[in-house]
Amino acid sequence: MEDVLVQRQGAVQVLTFNRAHKKNAITADMYQALADGIAQAEDDASLRVMLIQGQPDAFSAGNDLEDFLKNPPKDESAPVFQFLRAISQASKPIVAAVAGNAVGVGTTLLLHCDVVYAADSARFSLPFSQLALCPEAASSWLLPRVAGYQRAAEKLLFGEPFDVNEAVAMGFVNRVLPAAEVFDYAAKRAAQLAAMPAGSLRVTKQLMKADGARDVQARIGEEGVEFAKRLLSPEAREAFTAFFEKRKPDYSQFS
């Protein structure tokens, strides 16, 4: 079974994380499938909207650390960077439906979606600092502008989980729904957008995103450079070793 399902529902391209046994942790192959699915929707005039969703008990656990360490992104052609460029530069509306945990990139990718609906069960976290890494997906640029600097700093520095009500207050979730309703509601809203004038939606999105477009792409690149450095750091080695050994990391030896 494919770990990312790419399915058409009328004029909506639906991208579904389908790796429930791993809580939808994202591998390089999954990033490639997501990037290809977005590119296909962008190139097909009959596809007007994209919908990204996970499973009822998990949106995404973020990067699959084992796969990420085995296949680290080496340059801009890496699948993760293809995905980040695709989702951040998409001209067509992107709707997201979130239930369960959204960790790391599972949260940061939502900053590139146009409308986000979340279940009352949804929980979010940005544990980059806890893993001795740094933000990605231009979240160090986008989150302070969406949520305000202090709120963004608390989430990115501490990396602590937070609930859906705080996500709404921070500004990147539009509406909270019962878990049993969120997927149908998001699909209905995506179909509603797909029935509207496609050119008008594209221009409206372009105008809203125009001021920050270059900054977002530049920050994705800058974060990628720093992220690669952090992956090779002694702190990150301790973080990953502790993760796989299921123990608390000890950073006291590092300055």
Side-chain angles (χ1 to χ4, degrees):
M1 186 173 292
E2 296 179 10
D3 290 339
V4 172
L5 300 179
V6 181
Q7 300 167 307
R8 180 173 187 144
Q9 293 181 2
V12 179
Q13 179 87 309
V14 183
L15 306 173
T16 304
F17 294 119
N18 190 44
R19 199 181 181 219
H21 67 290
K22 290 291 187 178
K23 299 180 181 178
N24 293 329
I26 306 175
T27 63
D29 287 343
M30 291 170 70
Y31 277 123
Q32 190 66 62
L34 291 165
D36 293 344
I38 293 172
Q40 180 186 28
E42 285 285 285
D43 292 340
D44 187 340
S46 68
L47 288 167
R48 294 170 173 252
V49 178
M50 287 166 264
L51 172 61
I52 299 177
Q53 60 187 11
Q55 307 294 328
D57 57 349
F59 181 68
S60 173
N63 283 315
D64 182 306
L65 290 180
E66 186 174 0
D67 180 79
F68 203 70
L69 293 173
K70 288 180 180 177
N71 304 289
K74 296 176 181 176
D75 53 45
E76 292 187 355
S77 67
V80 60
F81 291 123
Q82 291 186 47
F83 166 68
L84 292 179
R85 284 194 302 273
I87 194 170
S88 63
Q89 295 177 344
S91 65
K92 298 179 181 180
I94 302 176
V95 177
V98 183
N101 289 334
V103 181
V105 71
T107 291
T108 60
L109 73 83
L110 301 174
L111 298 172
H112 298 283
C113 297
D114 301 292
V115 185
V116 178
Y117 299 115
D120 49 18
S121 64
R123 285 180 63 79
F124 307 85
S125 62
L126 299 162
F128 305 113
S129 294
Q130 293 180 354
L131 292 170
L133 300 172
C134 70
E136 36 79 314
S139 56
S140 64
W141 192 92
L142 288 166
L143 195 60
R145 284 158 179 80
V146 171
Y149 178 83
Q150 277 75 16
R151 266 184 167 157
E154 183 178 44
K155 301 312 175 193
L156 289 171
L157 293 175
F158 286 99
E160 297 166 338
F162 53 100
D163 66 19
V164 69
N165 293 318
E166 193 164 1
V168 172
M170 291 173 69
F172 68 88
V173 168
N174 292 81
R175 185 170 301 182
V176 183
L177 296 117
E181 299 176 15
V182 65
F183 296 109
D184 287 343
Y185 185 84
K188 190 177 300 182
R189 294 291 274 176
Q192 185 178 342
L193 282 174
M196 296 176 67
S200 177
L201 295 179
R202 285 197 303 272
V203 169
T204 300
K205 177 171 178 172
Q206 179 185 7
L207 289 169
M208 287 192 291
K209 292 197 169 225
D211 286 347
R214 290 183 181 178
D215 290 326
V216 166
Q217 297 310 311
R219 187 59 57 90
I220 287 173
E222 292 163 0
E223 289 173 346
V225 170
E226 294 302 325
F227 200 99
K229 292 178 182 177
R230 297 301 307 159
L231 275 176
L232 299 175
S233 71
E235 291 170 301
R237 192 177 306 116
E238 165 64 11
F240 297 142
T241 300
F243 176 83
F244 291 119
E245 293 179 353
K246 298 182 179 180
R247 62 172 174 82
K248 187 175 180 179
D250 178 12
Y251 298 125
S252 62
Q253 58 187 306
F254 308 112
S255 59

